[in-house]
Amino acid sequence: MAITSSFNFQIFIFPLLLVLLSTQSSATSTSITDRFIQCLNNRADPSYPINGQLYTPVNSSFPSVLQAYIRNLRFNESTTPKPILIITALHPSHIQAAVVCAKTHRLLMKTRSGGHDYEGLSYVTNSNQPFFVVDMFNLRSINVSIEDETAWVQTGATLGEVYYRIAEKSNIHAFPAGVCPTVGVGGHFSGGGYGNLMRKYGLSVDNIIDAQLIDVNGKLLNRKSMGEDLFWAITGGGGVSFGVVLAYKIKLVRVPTVVTVFNVQRTSEQNLSTIAHRWIQVADKLDNNLFLRMSFNVINNTNGEKTIRGIFPTLYLGNSTALVTLLNKEFPELGLEKSDCTEMSWIESVLFYTNFPIGTPTTALLSRTPQRLNPFKIKSDYVKNPISKQGFEYIFERMKELENQMLAFNPYGGRMSEISEFAKPFPHRSGNIAKIQYEVNWEELGAEAANRYLNFTRMMYNYMTPFVSKNPREAFLNYRDLDIGVNTHGKNAYVEGMVYGHKYFKETNYKRLALVKTRVDPTNFFRNEQSIPTLSS
């Protein structure tokens, strides 16, 4: 009888304890949030009240504000950790207050520009620490000066907005950055930023001449006041490790009034492995005015059998006659004809490269609605030696074994080979033929589907090991990939950071980034699962 009574007591008391603990945890979280909000209201510039820009989970608008810039639905599940607060900053003082108050209350800070971080690190954390998000989307001003060929761009702007505002004032100016118009400036520029002008003009960071940054003490700095080491770090090393980048000053580049584009397709039945083998031999050696990407995916042929389709989206800074002559000499295997080519303005080519129909108004670049929204996984690699025809045939067979595989080969060479690997934290310069992007998209939501497709992506990545860089197997920071290493920011943080840091930056640049980090953020306030750690760790 005594045993039964004890058992009944446990059945009753344990759920009660869980409820009490849950309530206590919730109350603690609420009290932390309340104290944080009080601090923000006290700290913000009274001329720019912050209270109307604060969203807690009890606010009816909280879900829509959080989800507005989630670009990977892998991180929009009910089980995904949520911030205790979102600050939709309207003024630099809001960010300054957020930094100072977060330090006081020991909260983890996330900064989100466009939400395109492939692992969601601008709005999700894998730690158990309470965190909040500073959303930059309101800070999107773009001031273009054609007279001195520069522009100041706030980091909440999108690439599409940048391109549109440049073209609004000039048809012979552009800026080298990515091809997706909804990508935010903040993460894209600070991580390197590449696009189809890179062989002519290098990366985005190779064309940035000034910046505004709010540091760990809440001070607003420019290039002169922050110093060259910190400026170097936030132009390719990822801004979120060092502060909150408010704006970049960019140097515009010249483009002709007429450019040429094409997007021819070939399949395995059309000798795709021969074409791919020739591409890997010449793509990095072609005229600097030419960017000829090669992408592969799996389709069904007319017999209903799986086959590989190769897609060759291309931008040439010149006319179609010159382009056809050039490729028929250097790359006749592609079989390019003049009828494949279309001449247009540079700003129209931006729309073309993003798969908008020809004739789409350029105002489409101002839309912040992504063309596609689904769960996905991205990985990256670098090719330093040509891949044989047999090698490509092996790759194609492995792609057909798996599901939803897409591989994109982006050509290097040109201006990229002329810049030192130490000029910016981004080290992948000469010696690279191409960068590979692995992409797997799926529609089903939930952990089971995600794990299935993530496994497919990792299998393809493993199959590619013989064809890519080694020791380290290099990776691109803008293609964030937590598979290659995660930092717990404990006593071994520097060593943990080497695992992914050497892949993203190589050894010398990683160490220099850690030196800068140690000087400007010694307590490691600005951190995420792949941020730069301090040397003291």
Side-chain angles (χ1 to χ4, degrees), residues 41-81:
N41 282 315
N42 292 339
R43 280 274 178 182
D45 186 331
S47 303
Y48 303 94
I50 196 173
N51 204 48
Q53 308 311 125
L54 307 180
Y55 298 85
T56 66
V58 298
N59 188 299
S60 61
S61 298
F62 179 86
S64 60
V65 173
L66 176 62
Q67 293 168 15
Y69 289 90
I70 292 178
R71 302 305 191 210
N72 187 344
L73 294 188
R74 259 204 305 146
F75 308 109
N76 193 32
E77 301 281 1
S78 59
T79 54
T80 305

Coordinates of all heavy atoms in Angstrom, one line a residue, residues 41-81:
N41 N 14.9 51.4 -24.5 CA 14.2 52.6 -24.5 C 15.0 53.8 -23.8 O 15.0 54.9 -24.2 CB 12.9 52.5 -23.7 CG 11.8 51.8 -24.6 OD1 11.7 52.1 -25.8 ND2 11.1 50.8 -24.1
N42 N 15.8 53.4 -22.8 CA 16.6 54.4 -22.1 C 17.8 54.8 -22.9 O 18.3 55.9 -22.9 CB 17.1 53.8 -20.8 CG 16.0 53.6 -19.8 OD1 14.9 54.2 -19.9 ND2 16.2 52.8 -18.8
R43 N 18.3 53.9 -23.7 CA 19.6 54.1 -24.5 C 19.4 54.8 -25.8 O 20.2 55.5 -26.3 CB 20.3 52.8 -24.7 CG 21.1 52.3 -23.5 CD 22.5 53.0 -23.5 NE 23.3 52.6 -22.4 CZ 24.5 53.1 -22.2 NH1 25.0 53.9 -23.0 NH2 25.2 52.7 -21.1
A44 N 18.2 54.5 -26.5 CA 18.0 55.0 -27.9 C 17.9 56.5 -27.9 O 17.5 57.1 -26.9 CB 16.8 54.3 -28.4
D45 N 18.3 57.1 -29.0 CA 18.2 58.5 -29.2 C 16.7 58.9 -29.1 O 15.8 58.4 -29.8 CB 18.7 58.9 -30.6 CG 18.8 60.4 -30.8 OD1 18.0 61.1 -30.2 OD2 19.6 60.8 -31.6
P46 N 16.3 59.8 -28.1 CA 14.9 60.2 -28.0 C 14.3 60.8 -29.3 O 13.1 60.7 -29.4 CB 15.0 61.3 -26.9 CG 16.3 61.3 -26.4 CD 17.2 60.5 -27.2
S47 N 15.1 61.3 -30.1 CA 14.6 61.8 -31.4 C 14.1 60.7 -32.3 O 13.4 61.0 -33.3 CB 15.7 62.7 -32.1 OG 16.1 63.7 -31.3
Y48 N 14.6 59.5 -32.1 CA 14.3 58.3 -32.9 C 13.8 57.2 -31.9 O 14.5 56.2 -31.7 CB 15.4 57.9 -33.7 CG 16.0 58.9 -34.6 CD1 17.1 59.7 -34.2 CD2 15.4 59.2 -35.9 CE1 17.6 60.7 -35.0 CE2 15.9 60.2 -36.7 CZ 17.0 60.9 -36.3 OH 17.5 61.9 -37.1
P49 N 12.6 57.3 -31.4 CA 12.1 56.3 -30.5 C 12.2 54.9 -31.0 O 11.9 54.6 -32.2 CB 10.6 56.7 -30.2 CG 10.6 58.2 -30.6 CD 11.6 58.3 -31.7
I50 N 12.5 54.0 -30.2 CA 12.8 52.6 -30.6 C 11.6 51.7 -30.3 O 11.4 50.6 -30.9 CB 14.0 52.0 -29.9 CG1 14.5 50.7 -30.7 CG2 13.8 51.7 -28.4 CD1 15.9 50.2 -30.2
N51 N 10.7 52.1 -29.4 CA 9.7 51.2 -28.9 C 8.8 50.6 -30.0 O 8.4 49.5 -29.9 CB 8.8 51.9 -27.8 CG 8.1 50.9 -26.9 OD1 8.8 50.0 -26.4 ND2 6.8 51.1 -26.7
G52 N 8.5 51.4 -31.0 CA 7.6 51.0 -32.1 C 8.3 50.0 -33.0 O 7.6 49.4 -33.9
Q53 N 9.6 49.8 -32.8 CA 10.3 48.8 -33.7 C 10.7 47.5 -33.0 O 11.5 46.7 -33.4 CB 11.6 49.5 -34.1 CG 11.5 50.9 -34.8 CD 10.4 50.9 -35.8 OE1 9.5 51.7 -35.7 NE2 10.5 50.1 -36.8
L54 N 10.0 47.3 -31.8 CA 10.3 46.1 -31.0 C 9.2 45.1 -31.1 O 8.0 45.4 -30.9 CB 10.5 46.5 -29.6 CG 11.6 47.6 -29.3 CD1 11.6 47.9 -27.8 CD2 12.9 47.2 -29.8
Y55 N 9.5 43.8 -31.4 CA 8.5 42.8 -31.5 C 8.9 41.6 -30.7 O 9.9 41.0 -30.9 CB 8.4 42.3 -33.0 CG 7.9 43.4 -33.9 CD1 8.8 44.3 -34.5 CD2 6.6 43.6 -34.3 CE1 8.4 45.3 -35.3 CE2 6.2 44.6 -35.1 CZ 7.1 45.5 -35.6 OH 6.7 46.5 -36.5
T56 N 8.0 41.3 -29.7 CA 8.2 40.1 -28.9 C 7.3 39.0 -29.3 O 6.3 39.3 -30.1 CB 8.0 40.4 -27.4 OG1 6.6 40.7 -27.2 CG2 8.8 41.6 -26.9
P57 N 7.5 37.8 -28.9 CA 6.6 36.7 -29.3 C 5.1 36.9 -29.0 O 4.3 36.2 -29.6 CB 7.2 35.4 -28.6 CG 8.6 35.8 -28.5 CD 8.7 37.2 -28.2
V58 N 4.8 37.7 -28.0 CA 3.4 37.9 -27.7 C 2.7 39.0 -28.6 O 1.5 39.1 -28.6 CB 3.2 38.4 -26.2 CG1 3.7 37.3 -25.3 CG2 3.9 39.7 -26.0
N59 N 3.6 39.6 -29.4 CA 3.0 40.6 -30.4 C 2.4 39.9 -31.6 O 3.1 38.9 -32.1 CB 4.2 41.5 -30.9 CG 3.7 42.7 -31.7 OD1 3.1 42.5 -32.8 ND2 3.9 43.9 -31.2
S60 N 1.3 40.3 -32.0 CA 0.6 39.5 -33.1 C 1.4 39.6 -34.4 O 1.2 38.7 -35.3 CB -0.8 40.1 -33.3 OG -0.7 41.5 -33.7
S61 N 2.2 40.6 -34.6 CA 3.0 40.8 -35.8 C 4.3 40.0 -35.8 O 5.0 39.9 -36.8 CB 3.3 42.3 -36.1 OG 2.1 43.0 -36.3
F62 N 4.7 39.4 -34.6 CA 5.9 38.8 -34.5 C 6.2 37.7 -35.5 O 7.2 37.7 -36.2 CB 6.1 38.2 -33.1 CG 7.4 37.5 -32.8 CD1 8.5 38.2 -32.4 CD2 7.5 36.1 -33.0 CE1 9.7 37.5 -32.1 CE2 8.6 35.4 -32.7 CZ 9.8 36.1 -32.3
P63 N 5.2 36.8 -35.7 CA 5.5 35.7 -36.7 C 5.8 36.2 -38.1 O 6.7 35.8 -38.8 CB 4.2 34.8 -36.7 CG 3.6 35.1 -35.4 CD 3.9 36.6 -35.1
S64 N 5.0 37.2 -38.6 CA 5.2 37.8 -39.9 C 6.5 38.5 -40.1 O 7.1 38.4 -41.1 CB 4.0 38.7 -40.3 OG 3.9 39.8 -39.4
V65 N 6.9 39.2 -39.0 CA 8.2 39.9 -39.0 C 9.3 38.9 -39.1 O 10.3 39.1 -39.9 CB 8.3 40.9 -37.8 CG1 9.7 41.5 -37.8 CG2 7.3 42.0 -37.9
L66 N 9.2 37.9 -38.3 CA 10.3 36.9 -38.3 C 10.4 36.2 -39.6 O 11.5 36.0 -40.2 CB 10.0 35.9 -37.1 CG 11.0 34.7 -37.1 CD1 12.4 35.2 -36.8 CD2 10.5 33.7 -36.0
Q67 N 9.2 35.8 -40.2 CA 9.2 35.0 -41.4 C 9.5 35.8 -42.6 O 9.8 35.2 -43.7 CB 7.9 34.2 -41.5 CG 7.7 33.2 -40.4 CD 6.2 32.7 -40.3 OE1 5.5 32.9 -41.2 NE2 5.9 32.0 -39.2
A68 N 9.3 37.1 -42.6 CA 9.5 37.9 -43.8 C 10.8 37.7 -44.5 O 10.9 37.8 -45.7 CB 9.3 39.4 -43.4
Y69 N 11.9 37.5 -43.7 CA 13.2 37.3 -44.3 C 13.8 36.0 -44.0 O 15.0 35.8 -44.0 CB 14.1 38.5 -43.9 CG 13.7 39.8 -44.6 CD1 12.8 40.6 -44.0 CD2 14.1 40.1 -45.8 CE1 12.4 41.8 -44.6 CE2 13.7 41.3 -46.5 CZ 12.8 42.1 -45.8 OH 12.4 43.3 -46.5
I70 N 13.0 35.0 -43.8 CA 13.5 33.6 -43.7 C 13.5 33.1 -45.2 O 12.4 32.9 -45.8 CB 12.6 32.7 -42.8 CG1 12.7 33.1 -41.4 CG2 13.0 31.2 -43.0 CD1 11.9 32.3 -40.4
R71 N 14.6 32.8 -45.7 CA 14.8 32.4 -47.1 C 15.0 31.0 -47.3 O 15.1 30.5 -48.4 CB 15.9 33.2 -47.8 CG 15.7 34.7 -47.8 CD 14.4 35.2 -48.4 NE 14.3 36.6 -48.6 CZ 13.2 37.3 -48.5 NH1 12.0 36.7 -48.3 NH2 13.2 38.6 -48.8
N72 N 15.1 30.2 -46.2 CA 15.3 28.8 -46.3 C 14.3 28.2 -45.3 O 14.4 28.3 -44.1 CB 16.7 28.4 -45.9 CG 17.0 26.9 -46.1 OD1 16.1 26.1 -46.3 ND2 18.3 26.6 -46.1
L73 N 13.3 27.5 -45.9 CA 12.2 27.0 -45.0 C 12.7 25.8 -44.1 O 11.9 25.3 -43.3 CB 11.0 26.5 -45.9 CG 10.3 27.7 -46.7 CD1 9.1 27.1 -47.3 CD2 10.0 28.8 -45.7
R74 N 13.9 25.4 -44.3 CA 14.4 24.4 -43.3 C 14.4 25.0 -41.9 O 14.4 24.3 -40.9 CB 15.9 24.1 -43.6 CG 16.1 22.8 -44.3 CD 17.5 22.2 -44.2 NE 18.6 23.1 -44.6 CZ 19.7 23.1 -44.0 NH1 20.0 22.4 -42.9 NH2 20.7 23.9 -44.4
F75 N 14.5 26.4 -41.8 CA 14.5 27.0 -40.5 C 13.3 27.8 -40.2 O 13.3 28.9 -39.5 CB 15.8 28.0 -40.5 CG 17.0 27.3 -40.9 CD1 17.6 27.5 -42.2 CD2 17.6 26.3 -40.1 CE1 18.8 26.8 -42.5 CE2 18.7 25.6 -40.5 CZ 19.3 25.9 -41.7
N76 N 12.2 27.3 -40.7 CA 10.9 27.9 -40.4 C 9.9 26.8 -39.8 O 8.7 26.9 -40.0 CB 10.3 28.5 -41.6 CG 9.1 29.4 -41.3 OD1 9.0 30.0 -40.2 ND2 8.1 29.5 -42.2
E77 N 10.5 25.9 -39.0 CA 9.7 24.8 -38.4 C 9.2 25.3 -37.0 O 9.8 26.2 -36.4 CB 10.5 23.5 -38.3 CG 11.0 23.0 -39.6 CD 9.9 22.3 -40.4 OE1 8.8 22.2 -40.0 OE2 10.3 21.8 -41.5
S78 N 8.2 24.6 -36.5 CA 7.7 24.9 -35.1 C 8.8 24.7 -34.1 O 8.9 25.3 -33.0 CB 6.5 24.1 -34.8 OG 6.8 22.7 -34.9
T79 N 9.7 23.7 -34.4 CA 10.8 23.4 -33.5 C 12.0 24.3 -33.6 O 13.0 24.2 -32.8 CB 11.3 21.9 -33.7 OG1 11.6 21.8 -35.1 CG2 10.2 20.9 -33.4
T80 N 12.1 25.2 -34.6 CA 13.2 26.1 -34.8 C 13.2 27.1 -33.6 O 12.2 27.7 -33.3 CB 13.0 26.9 -36.1 OG1 12.9 25.9 -37.2 CG2 14.3 27.7 -36.4
P81 N 14.4 27.2 -33.0 CA 14.5 28.2 -31.9 C 14.1 29.6 -32.4 O 14.5 30.0 -33.5 CB 16.0 28.2 -31.5 CG 16.5 26.8 -32.0 CD 15.7 26.5 -33.2

